[in-house]
Amino acid sequence: MGDFIEAHAAKSSSQIDQWLLGGGLVVTASERAARALVSAFHRARQAEGLSAWPVPNVQDWKSFARAAWEERAAEQGDSRLLLNPAQEEALWVEIAGQDRSLATLLDGPRHRLASLAMEAHGLICSHAPRFLAKTARSAWQQDAAAFSAWLTTFDETCRTTNLLSPSRLPLELISMLDSDPSQRPPLLLAGFDRILPLQRTLLDAWGSWQEADPSLPAAAVHFYSAPDAQSELAACALWASRRLASNPRSRLLIVTQEASTCRGEIERAFLPLSAPGGAPHFEFSLGIPLIQVAPAHAAQLLLHWLSAPLQENELDWLLSTGLAANPEETAALQATMRTLRQRGLERTQWTLDAFLGQHLSSAQLPAAWVQRILQARRLLQAAAPRHQTPTEWAELIPVLFDAAGFPRTRPLSSAEFQSLHRWQQALETCGSLGFEGRRVTWPEFLSQLDRALNETLFAPESRDAPIQIAGPAESAGLAADAIWFLGANEDAWPTSGPLHPLLPLDVQRDAGMPHAAPQLDWDLAQAITTRLLASAPEVHFSFARQTADAETRPSRLVVQFAGPPQPLPAELSAPSAAPPQTVPFEDFSRIPFPAGKAAGGSSVLTSQSQCPFKAFATSRLAARGWNPAESGLTPSQRGQLLHAVLHSVWSGPPDGIRTSDELENQSDRKAFVAHHVEAVLRDEMPRAAREQMPRRYLELEEQRLVRLVSEWLDYEAARLPFTVAATEVDRNLDLAGLTLNLRLDRIDSLNDGSMLVIDYKSGNVAPSSWDPPRPDDVQLPLYAGFALDDEELLGGLVFAKVRPGELSFAGRVGDAAATLFSGLPKTNALMKYPLTAEMLLDWRDCIHQLTEDFLNGKAEVDPREYPKTCERCDLQSLCRIQEHQVQFEDESEDGEAVDE
Ligand code: SF4
């Protein structure tokens, strides 16, 4: 087989190789194919043991046509500016904008229409140039007529301002060649799936040309059916790994139409083939939008932030990625964000001023960074009010970066360096939009740059990896030792697509434009399939019988070449499991907690009960969840405001009250509550919410609080006499050496002298959450059992559920009918489940045990009730519960069976 591969490769490349060795010019269908031929040429010379050789003359079609035109244009003194794609699109945008129709009023639709118009113009030039004459389009109707009018304006603009569209270049070149009798070197064409009529005319006008001979057709052709896309990809990856294992010098080509949509899945399937930490054995021939590449994205966010707010997640990312001069500055910036979150000062959007205006005693912004970023902003502000040419804006940006010290964090990797270089090119392209002397504002220039970065695809320079992953069309010109074509199902191959919306149907059909007729799609797919079969001695096709939404059938086209699909061979259909990247390790070691204070108060023991690891992570590692900012108040901020209002109401004289009698005597309870709500909102409303939310929202929030608290006081007014002994009570508790700082919402003295411990809740809670052996909440049992003074007698512990439409006490009370509400029915939960001495003893035992476990360092990942407990916890990424998921799911199913 090895000999055959060599023979096949030698046969397929020898003609091109000989042509290049003789100094001939090879023209390829694409830039990628040109690169592949140049690489193959160099490899062949190295294999011959040479140390130096002439550069091969390979040009892709566009470069070839452009160079030929430029040479003749210079000779003829043609001074027209050849537009770049961004410049041409800008012209179309301007023309579409003059239309004043609804579709072109907004920036986004206008750009989309302009890009469609540019595409339609390109199609006419390449497939039906006779329609470039205005008279030939006179019968076009509706959208096509509108496009025709735009095209007339475009032609006129180009003529009067001395511009030339790249789409017109081949037509211009043909007439230049026709009038130039000089001899031209013969051409060898490689990697063309089809030669368009226009290309054929140009080549004929050039002189002598020929297509490279097709290579030998593949000797081994297979077609597999896989049960689903996952097994199909896994089989392909397994096949590739075996090929590389048997011959590390193999060159494999994976052809897929999903290279951009399923890039992540493909990477995950092929990554295990590469050595850990080494360069991947594969590379995609198609890049990703430049805006998604980290350094380019950071550069863009920084430019936006100098004049406009960033979303909170964008700022998080920017601060941690590369806005600082050194790791210390980065750490300080991240610490600032962390502190803002811990203080509840998060915002959905951050302007530079809002970020710099935070005065946090515990987290200082690095002074040098502040100075640099402000200097960059000053430079921009000095220029921003003006309309400037795109060139001037493009020249200002490096100055801004220099002032801001971007990028400096660390030496850039080669790929990062290339991406910034590409970013610079995109910037220069946007700068070139001043070709007509137009002037734009800073936001207009930035949005043009955003668009350019979205449209620019970036792929790092090829490392000549052994596995190339490409789309069917992009694979033109690539040769390999073996090919695997994924996704060869009836719907996907041949591909189909919509007709062009701006060109008449009959024009598209007559000119054979892409997707104008099913036969055209079939012919193109057939040409590509034939070319692939001649690009390697061994070709595999595969398809998945089941996709996400439907059953699929094999591609009829592939069946013609490869016969009906066969099930995946056994050695590919059941890939042995990849060695796990993590190995389970039961860690039974325990590190005792040194006696002393634990952060978090009663939540330490609540967490210990919910999941020992949660207590360990939050109290000892200071791990915290990261809640995104919300545009209004978060549930937790609302809860804090409610607590603050109730604290204010029951704070006693001069403004508050303390007893049920005083509550009774409030003649206008609503006005009384409104007074407290107003004070709380004035003093305690988070600044970010006050600055960002409209006045009306804050008014509604105020009304909601007044209504809710008034209704709650109405509920409390029906109670038997009581006195509020304390609110927001702080107590220190020492439990076997563990010091906890407890804070309780309220303690009431009841009519029999006993104490009622109260916890306000705006969420849905139930006293069953205190039940041993693993209570979901230990705050009240802890307080009731350990924090009352010796002389204080416990009368009960309750949640005060302050929820709209659900106002009630829920808990355990010694005698609720005698101390809380007279006439409570026996069916009421407070009566049915009274507080008992046995209950108190159970809680004490349970709390002692939890304390002991925490002090001993018990920190197993052991959620109390999987998955419910984990759904209310933010530590999944730390405890990696997902990796234990199966075990806990089994346990939870067992538990349900027992309960039933
Ligand atoms: S997510 Fe679940 S298992 Fe992980 S720490 Fe939280 S409660 Fe424990």
Side-chain angles (χ1 to χ4, degrees):
M1 184 59 154
D3 290 347
F4 179 79
I5 292 173
E6 292 303 321
H8 182 99
K11 166 95 173 92
S12 64
S13 60
S14 62
Q15 183 194 15
I16 297 174
D17 207 42
Q18 289 305 316
W19 189 278
L20 291 173
L21 279 172
L25 171 59
V26 174
V27 177
T28 62
S30 67
E31 217 180 312
R32 193 170 297 106
R35 281 200 305 267
L37 282 192
V38 171
S39 296
F41 181 83
H42 291 323
R43 273 200 305 274
R45 301 296 79 77
Q46 279 164 348
E48 288 164 3
L50 297 180
S51 55
W53 53 86
V55 176
N57 193 1
V58 183
Q59 291 179 28
D60 64 88
W61 173 260
K62 279 187 185 163
S63 309
F64 160 74
R66 182 181 172 133
W69 177 84
E70 279 175 348
E71 186 188 330
R72 283 153 188 82
E75 282 168 8
Q76 296 172 14
D78 187 338
S79 61
R80 281 177 298 172
L81 170 71
L82 183 59
L83 295 166
N84 64 33
Q87 289 171 327
E88 180 169 351
E89 195 189 80
L91 261 192
W92 284 108
V93 168
E94 202 169 292
I95 292 166
Q98 289 163 6
D99 198 319
R100 312 311 303 163
S101 68
L102 197 58
T104 57
L105 283 181
L106 296 173
D107 196 46
R110 188 162 57 241
H111 275 88
R112 275 194 290 282
L113 270 177
S115 137
L116 277 175
M118 189 169 147
E119 201 177 277
H121 174 231
L123 282 170
I124 292 181
C125 292
S126 59
H127 289 74
R130 74 184 182 88
F131 287 103
L132 289 172
K134 186 179 164 188
T135 47
R137 306 191 301 265
S138 57
W140 289 12
Q141 305 281 320
Q142 298 176 333
D143 288 348
F147 165 69
S148 173
W150 295 357
L151 180 52
T152 305
T153 311
F154 179 81
D155 282 342
E156 186 57 22
T157 308
C158 286
R159 195 182 58 75
T160 52
T161 49
N162 221 18
L163 305 172
L164 178 65
S165 157
S167 301
R168 296 284 178 96
L169 191 143
L171 294 166
E172 297 263 337
L173 180 58
I174 289 170
S175 39
M176 284 172 164
L177 293 174
D178 283 342
S179 56
D180 175 8
S182 58
Q183 279 292 311
R184 288 174 279 267
L187 304 177
L188 182 67
L189 266 60
F192 282 76
D193 288 322
R194 62 177 168 182
I195 295 179
L196 298 174
L198 179 71
Q199 290 173 323
R200 198 170 286 278
T201 314
L202 193 153
L203 290 166
D204 289 340
W206 176 271
S208 166
W209 66 278
Q210 60 175 298
E211 281 190 81
D213 295 337
S215 304
L216 289 175
V221 182
H222 304 277
F223 190 12
Y224 305 124
S225 79
D228 51 46
Q230 213 180 352
S231 349
E232 185 191 8
L233 188 55
C236 174
L238 185 63
W239 165 82
S241 83
R242 290 192 177 152
R243 291 288 311 222
L244 286 184
S246 63
N247 178 7
R249 292 179 57 222
S250 287
R251 306 194 60 75
L252 308 178
L253 174 61
I254 311 297
V255 180
T256 169
Q257 301 191 67
E258 312 275 342
S260 54
T261 52
C262 298
R263 197 177 176 108
E265 286 89 333
I266 296 173
E267 279 180 345
R268 274 193 294 282
F270 282 86
L271 263 179
L273 275 55
S274 317
H281 279 345
F282 61 91
E283 59 190 21
F284 289 86
S285 64
L286 200 63
I288 54 172
L290 187 54
I291 194 78
Q292 293 175 15
V293 182
H297 189 50
Q300 201 61 5
L301 286 181
L302 171 58
L303 290 178
H304 277 277
W305 202 31
L306 292 177
S307 61
L310 289 188
Q311 297 296 323
E312 188 193 42
N313 60 330
E314 291 175 330
L315 185 59
D316 269 343
W317 184 86
L318 180 62
L319 295 184
S320 59
T321 317
L323 191 52
N326 51 51
E328 290 73 33
E329 278 192 354
T330 300
L333 291 171
Q334 287 177 299
T336 302
M337 278 309 271
R338 213 163 36 238
T339 310
L340 289 171
R341 298 291 188 104
Q342 283 161 357
R343 305 257 176 99
L345 298 172
E346 62 266 25
R347 293 166 180 243
T348 50
Q349 292 193 326
W350 285 96
T351 59
L352 185 53
D353 280 333
F355 186 71
L356 297 180
Q358 301 295 326
H359 298 291
L360 308 167
S361 50
S362 57
Q364 289 292 324
L365 286 170
W369 176 82
V370 173
Q371 244 178 12
R372 293 199 312 269
I373 199 98
L374 283 177
Q375 172 60 10
R377 213 250 305 258
R378 268 193 294 275
L379 287 168
L380 176 62
Q381 281 174 337
R386 298 194 298 271
H387 278 66
Q388 299 207 105
T389 64
T391 317
E392 285 169 325
W393 288 124
E395 284 169 357
L396 176 65
I397 286 174
V399 180
L400 298 180
F401 283 167
D402 207 33
F406 175 86
R408 251 195 237 165
T409 310
R410 57 190 163 75
L412 296 176
S413 70
S414 164
E416 287 172 332
F417 182 81
Q418 289 173 48
S419 74
L420 276 179
H421 180 65
R422 195 78 188 83
W423 187 89
Q424 182 64 32
Q425 288 176 334
L427 179 64
E428 282 162 16
T429 304
C430 290
S432 74
L433 295 179
F435 64 103
E436 277 183 302
R438 66 182 65 187
R439 304 178 91 79
V440 292
T441 61
W442 171 247
E444 283 168 347
F445 182 75
L446 262 193
S447 85
Q448 181 65 46
L449 189 53
D450 285 343
R451 262 192 303 277
L453 296 178
N454 264 311
E455 286 163 12
T456 305
L457 292 184
F458 168 73
E461 248 173 39
S462 171
R463 293 171 288 103
D464 219 11
I467 303 176
Q468 295 290 322
I469 303 172
E474 290 86 44
S475 65
L478 303 184
D481 294 322
I483 295 175
W484 188 303
F485 187 114
L486 290 160
N489 70 55
E490 192 178 37
D491 298 330
W493 194 245
T495 47
S496 56
L499 289 161
H500 200 284
L502 296 185
L503 294 174
L505 179 60
D506 55 336
V507 170
Q508 296 189 56
R509 280 219 183 103
D510 295 347
M513 289 184 190
H515 309 307
Q519 187 59 42
L520 289 168
D521 290 336
W522 178 277
D523 291 345
L524 179 59
Q526 191 169 37
I528 293 175
T529 311
T530 310
R531 185 250 303 156
L532 284 172
L533 286 166
S535 302
E538 180 185 324
V539 179
H540 302 259
F541 295 91
S542 65
F543 85 106
R545 291 193 296 275
Q546 182 77 41
T547 61
D549 26 43
E551 285 191 1
T552 60
R553 289 195 299 203
S555 157
R556 284 183 295 121
L557 179 62
V558 174
V559 169
Q560 274 189 9
F561 286 100
Q566 304 299 315
L568 281 171
E571 71 270 18
L572 294 181
S573 59
S576 52
Q581 297 195 331
T582 54
V583 178
F585 170 70
E586 294 284 352
D587 184 359
F588 295 110
S589 59
R590 289 183 175 179
I591 302 172
F593 183 75
K597 191 172 168 188
S602 65
S603 69
V604 174
L605 296 184
T606 292
S607 298
Q608 185 70 28
S609 179
Q610 290 176 341
C611 172
F613 181 79
K614 185 175 177 186
F616 177 82
T618 51
S619 301
R620 300 179 65 174
L621 305 181
R624 293 284 177 277
W626 195 248
N627 294 326
E630 292 184 17
S631 45
L633 290 167
T634 62
S636 129
Q637 287 170 333
R638 285 193 159 149
Q640 284 162 12
L641 289 174
L642 176 66
H643 275 66
V645 172
L646 287 164
H647 174 57
S648 174
V649 164
W650 292 110
S651 60
D655 292 331
I657 54 174
R658 277 283 183 198
T659 66
S660 47
D661 285 348
E662 288 169 2
L663 175 60
E664 193 67 26
N665 292 337
Q666 286 297 330
S667 53
D668 188 347
R669 205 171 280 156
K670 204 162 179 184
F672 168 70
V673 171
H675 168 72
H676 287 275
V677 168
E678 193 188 320
V680 165
L681 291 186
R682 186 187 57 231
D683 301 335
E684 304 195 27
M685 171 72 90
R687 206 172 89 194
R690 210 180 5 244
E691 285 173 11
Q692 293 178 96
M693 298 314 297
R695 192 179 178 72
R696 184 67 189 136
Y697 171 85
L698 299 177
E699 283 170 6
L700 286 172
E701 195 55 41
E702 185 172 342
Q703 287 168 15
R704 187 190 73 85
L705 266 175
V706 171
R707 193 168 53 242
L708 184 61
V709 175
S710 301
E711 286 171 8
W712 174 253
L713 292 187
D714 290 345
Y715 173 76
E716 289 223 62
R719 283 177 59 184
L720 290 164
F722 65 91
T723 299
V724 175
T727 61
E728 306 275 318
V729 201
D730 283 323
R731 290 209 180 155
N732 275 333
L733 185 66
D734 188 90
L735 276 175
L738 174 68
T739 308
L740 298 173
N741 184 267
L742 304 186
R743 164 167 282 213
L744 198 77
D745 289 344
R746 181 172 142 193
I747 300 178
D748 283 6
S749 171
L750 302 177
N751 58 3
D752 62 353
S754 65
M755 311 306 284
L756 181 71
V757 180
I758 301 174
D759 186 23
Y760 296 125
K761 291 285 183 200
S762 51
N764 194 12
V765 286
S768 57
S769 64
W770 304 328
D771 290 348
R774 291 186 70 175
D776 197 33
D777 181 0
V778 299
Q779 187 189 13
L780 287 187
L782 179 66
Y783 203 97
F786 298 89
L788 288 181
D789 292 336
D790 288 345
E791 68 279 7
E792 291 175 326
L793 178 71
L794 181 67
L797 51 163
V798 287
F799 290 126
K801 294 169 72 172
V802 190
R803 285 160 62 83
E806 202 186 330
L807 303 159
S808 63
F809 282 125
R812 305 286 181 251
V813 179
D815 187 349
T819 58
L820 217 51
F821 294 101
S822 63
L824 270 182
K826 286 205 166 38
T827 51
N828 185 289
L830 288 171
M831 297 295 290
K832 262 168 83 178
Y833 308 107
L835 178 68
T836 62
E838 196 185 8
M839 233 176 236
L840 285 170
L841 283 176
D842 285 350
W843 284 337
R844 283 184 74 93
D845 288 348
C846 170
I847 287 168
H848 275 304
Q849 185 60 52
L850 290 171
T851 308
E852 202 177 302
D853 289 346
F854 179 77
L855 287 170
N856 287 340
K858 182 177 177 191
E860 281 85 8
V861 174
D862 179 16
R864 171 181 175 271
E865 189 182 355
Y866 181 84
K868 228 160 122 187
T869 310
C870 299
E871 283 162 7
R872 292 179 282 126
C873 176
D874 300 310
L875 303 175
Q876 288 89 348
S877 55
L878 193 60
C879 69
R880 301 163 79 169
I881 182 67
Q882 305 301 340
E883 293 169 28
H884 300 262
Q885 201 173 356
V886 176
Q887 174 201 336
F888 285 111
E889 271 167 1
D890 288 351
E891 282 175 8
S892 87
E893 277 164 22
D894 290 350
E896 276 168 26
V898 171
D899 288 343
E900 279 162 16

